Amino acid sequence: MMTLSRLAKAAHVSVSTASKAFSMSREVNEQTRQMIFEIARKQGCFKQFFNAKYPKYVIAILCPELDSLYYSGLVTALHRELTDNGCEICTTVTGFSKETLSPLIQYYDTYTSVDGILLISNNMSTLPPHETPIVSIGKNCEGVLSHITIDQQTAVRSAIEYFHAGGCKNIGFIGEPLTVGKETTFIEAMQAVTGSWNERLISISRERFEAGGYQAVSQLFERKIPFDALLCAYDRMAFGAMRCLSEHGISVPTEVKLIGMDNLSTDAYTVPSLSSIGIDNSATSHWAVSQILSALNGGTLQPNTTVQHQLFLRESSKFNLP
């Protein structure tokens, strides 16, 4: 077994010099350090002796998925903010599974050298024991230092008020199995604004994304119940909905008005352009990163904050077209 003294002897340096090389001490010149490292790598013991702390903070982002443009957009904004603050980043997908998330947190906390964790849309009420600082985005849970609440309720209600004020009588919702929370928010908004809601105008697809929107609207047509406005669980479902409506000869927004959720950058370029509900990813990312860095630098933390969704009205929901 290779020991530090044997390695030092092979490199013709003192044990103290070898030790300082592996701790990245400035007392060892770079030429000597690289010579020692080269011998250690040939002997297969470099990782055994290297013990220097990485000069940048390493932050792990745990995200449910990257297929969704909402999550990938938020992760991109977090990457940009972390990079601007000189951090290194590793991103892991959890697949919406607490069975995956819990061991991942334990892995990053115990076996790797990440300095902090940014947790997106966590579905756990209590995190496993950990020492690594964690900031959560989207859902609060016991064990995080700071939390960002994403408020959809206000903007969804604004969307329903907009439909209702324009004279829409049959307002529906399309979603898929992972959008139960948005469905609940829609029902609450309908109850508050109109005093009622029609269960048959809620269509939940087995599919996701564009295929899910197409299937959900197809199911509404199969029910033979009229609808003049739809809130879509997210924008990619709205794209599929528009395709299905077009194939049935239904004009958007003349006959059916659509509002999506996520406010993707592509929304302004669809035909018609898509109205949507969304948040400011840059502001959200700035707050989350500021909190994790405050925790690491001994600064003052804000336990929580709320980011409000906003309603962005475009052509797909217009009542008075020129």
Side-chain angles (χ1 to χ4, degrees), residues 12-80:
H12 303 291
V13 298
S14 68
V15 173
S16 175
T17 297
S19 178
K20 289 176 180 178
F22 284 115
S23 64
M24 299 300 290
S25 169
R26 294 182 180 179
E27 296 180 36
V28 179
N29 67 59
E30 193 61 25
Q31 183 178 357
T32 301
R33 188 193 324 279
Q34 292 304 321
M35 180 268 293
I36 294 170
F37 286 179
E38 183 179 355
I39 294 173
R41 289 191 177 97
K42 287 180 179 179
Q43 296 295 325
C45 60
F46 175 81
K47 289 186 177 181
Q48 176 185 344
F49 297 122
F50 189 80
N51 60 3
K53 180 173 175 58
Y54 191 66
K56 295 182 179 181
Y57 286 133
V58 179
I59 306 299
I61 300 174
L62 304 187
C63 180
E65 66 176 358
L66 293 176
D67 291 337
S68 162
L69 295 179
Y70 166 73
Y71 288 119
S72 62
L74 182 54
V75 168
T76 298
L78 287 169
H79 271 247
R80 187 179 300 114

Side-chain angles (χ1 to χ4, degrees), residues 281-293:
N281 281 339
S282 296
T284 302
S285 301
H286 179 76
W287 193 92
V289 172
S290 71
Q291 293 307 293
I292 203 76
L293 293 180

